[in-house]
Amino acid sequence: MSTLEVNEVFVGRPSVLGMKRDVPVYSAIAKSRVEAPSLKLDEINLAGDDQSDRTVHGGVDKAVYVYPATHYAAWAEQGFPVGAGDFGENASVTGADEHDVRVGDIWAWGDALVQVSQPRTPCFKLAMKTGRKDVIPAMIDSGRSGWYLRVLRAGEVPTTGRMTLEERDPVNPTIAEVYVASFTNVAQLDDDRRDAYWSLLDRVLAAPALSRQYRDGLESAKRRREERNAG
C-alpha cells in the first residue's frame, strides 16, 4: 500500500446542528462536496473548512479528517443512513483502512505534505448529525474511525487523485491498534491479554507523531495503572 485514491473532498463552516438543553449546538460536521479540481490546504484547514471549537476538533494535529469509503457499505448494512461526507470527513479515500495506515505516516497530497496523527473519537455531534445515539458505540466497536492528518507542508491539493506514501516507520502502531489501546476494557482481560494490552499501550505512546491531545488521555490511563500497582 503506497497510494491512497482520494475520491471526494468535503468542507464546511460551523452552523447550528441542533439544540441541547435549549442551547444551540454549533458544528461544522455538515460539509459539502468540493466541485473545484483543487483547493488550498494550510496548517489548520482546507480552504472553506473550519471548526466550531478547536479545543476538541481541528487544530494543527487535526487539520484534515480522512475516511475510508469502503466503510459506507458496512454502515448501511447496520441500518445507519449515512454516506460520503456524513461523518464530517474532509477526504473520502480508497486503498487503505485503519489496519493499514500507521501513526506518523507521511503522505504527499498534491503540493502538500501531511502526516497521520491520530484516530477519530466519536462525540455527541456525530450522534446529532446521524440522528442515532448508537452510532458512537458502533464506531468504537467496529473501529471504523478514520484518521486525522497534520500538515507538514501547506499547498494546493487535488479533490480527486492520489495521496502517495512518502515515509513510514513500520514500528509505529496502526490506527486500528491505537483504537484498541484507547477503548479496550482492561478489567475484562485475563492476565496474558492484559500484559499484551499494556505492551501495546507502551508502543502506542512511543510513537512520536501521536497527537498531544490523544497522548494525554492514554498517559492518564497508564498513570492510573501504575498508581494501582504501587498501592
Side-chain angles (χ1 to χ4, degrees):
M1 183 269 302
S2 58
T3 60
L4 286 173
E5 195 71 23
V6 178
N7 301 318
E8 298 174 284
V9 169
F10 304 89
V11 298
R13 302 284 191 185
S15 60
V16 177
L17 180 63
M19 303 292 289
K20 187 175 183 180
R21 299 186 183 94
D22 297 323
V23 176
V25 174
Y26 287 87
S27 175
I29 193 172
K31 300 185 185 296
S32 301
R33 186 178 185 273
V34 178
E35 301 296 338
S38 66
L39 73 168
K40 293 285 188 182
L41 173 62
D42 63 25
E43 288 79 5
I44 299 295
N45 276 315
L46 288 160
D49 201 46
D50 204 352
Q51 295 80 33
S52 60
D53 182 359
R54 289 184 185 167
T55 64
V56 290
H57 297 286
V60 293
D61 285 330
K62 293 182 283 186
V64 177
Y65 177 37
V66 177
Y67 202 75
T70 51
H71 291 339
Y72 302 133
W75 286 110
E77 288 173 6
Q78 289 184 262
F80 289 91
V82 294
D86 286 336
F87 291 94
E89 65 267 41
N90 295 116
S92 172
V93 302
T94 51
D97 64 17
E98 294 83 359
H99 296 275
D100 307 308
V101 172
R102 295 182 181 272
V103 171
D105 282 356
I106 296 175
W107 297 81
W109 184 18
D111 298 330
L113 209 59
V114 293
Q115 183 180 46
V116 178
S117 59
Q118 67 165 77
R120 187 256 187 88
T121 300
C123 72
F124 77 96
K125 292 181 180 179
L126 177 61
M128 291 184 72
K129 172 68 166 57
T130 59
R132 296 277 297 269
K133 291 181 179 180
D134 56 341
V135 74
I136 295 175
M139 178 175 280
I140 292 170
D141 291 344
S142 68
R144 297 192 295 262
S145 64
W147 55 90
Y148 283 104
L149 304 173
R150 64 170 59 90
V151 178
L152 303 181
R153 184 180 69 216
E156 191 84 7
V157 299
T159 54
T160 58
R162 290 182 174 179
M163 289 187 190
T164 303
L165 184 64
E166 296 288 305
E167 185 178 322
R168 160 173 289 172
D169 185 344
V171 173
N172 285 337
T174 65
I175 290 296
E177 288 175 320
V178 177
Y179 231 52
V180 169
S182 302
F183 293 109
T184 294
N185 186 337
V186 184
Q188 294 182 348
L189 302 179
D190 59 33
D191 289 344
D192 289 343
R193 293 171 67 198
R194 191 176 295 118
D195 288 343
Y197 169 80
W198 292 118
S199 295
L200 172 61
L201 179 60
D202 286 339
R203 189 159 68 86
V204 168
L205 291 172
L210 185 67
S211 72
R212 181 74 260 173
Q213 186 181 53
Y214 212 90
R215 182 185 302 278
D216 286 346
L218 293 175
E219 286 179 340
S220 294
K222 184 177 181 180
R223 281 195 300 272
R224 289 193 296 271
R225 172 229 185 181
E226 292 170 344
E227 290 166 359
R228 285 195 300 270
N229 289 344

